[in-house]
Amino acid sequence: MITASSGGIVVVLALLVPVMLLLLMLALDLFEDLLFPSPPPPTPDDKPTKQGDSHDHGQQDT
């Protein structure tokens, strides 16, 4: 009867971990737009509001 060595399954799992991580990375890259959709672009009739810079401390532009 042929039996596998007791450490064989550990070697197989150790070799599968990087492959599974690579597949996960590629899958997340492919489904990035579905998981995190980008906000719609602003419509042209929306006027951008002028917001003061956080470092201007209330000073007016001259």
Side-chain angles (χ1 to χ4, degrees), residues 25-44:
M25 185 178 65
L26 292 174
L28 287 176
D29 190 36
L30 290 174
F31 294 115
E32 180 181 6
D33 290 334
L34 294 175
L35 295 172
F36 307 105
S38 59
T43 57

Side-chain angles (χ1 to χ4, degrees), residues 41-51:
T43 57
D45 55 340
D46 288 343
K47 294 180 181 178
T49 58
K50 183 176 181 182
Q51 297 177 348

Side-chain angles (χ1 to χ4, degrees), residues 3-12:
T3 60
S5 64
S6 61
I9 189 71
V10 176
V11 172
V12 171

